[in-house]
Amino acid sequence: MEELNDKHQFFNPYKASCQTCRQGFDLINFTCKAFPGGIPVRILTGNDKHLTPEKGQENSIVYSPKSL
């Protein structure tokens, strides 16, 4: 059985830094290298820019802008 992913309701493309991050943002599943299990809502809303590792994060990957 497929699990419903409702994070699209929280994603703010104008405030969140996910789309400009080099860590492989997946717009369909709302995952990336830093959060393979799912990006937290506070980051998707743009309220947290993820400049430091999150408590409980399984790696130390943080926001890093894509090269132009």
Side-chain angles (χ1 to χ4, degrees), residues 10-29:
F10 302 103
F11 178 57
N12 184 333
Y14 301 103
K15 290 178 69 179
S17 54
C18 299
Q19 292 184 116
T20 61
C21 185
R22 71 173 66 203
Q23 304 304 338
F25 175 56
D26 177 348
L27 181 60
I28 303 299
N29 299 304

Side-chain angles (χ1 to χ4, degrees), residues 38-63:
I39 300 169
V41 169
R42 69 183 170 283
I43 295 173
L44 291 174
T45 60
N47 292 328
D48 183 339
K49 299 298 182 190
H50 194 225
L51 301 175
T52 58
E54 297 286 312
K55 184 177 181 178
Q57 186 176 329
E58 295 178 12
N59 54 57
S60 60
I61 298 171
V62 296
Y63 172 77

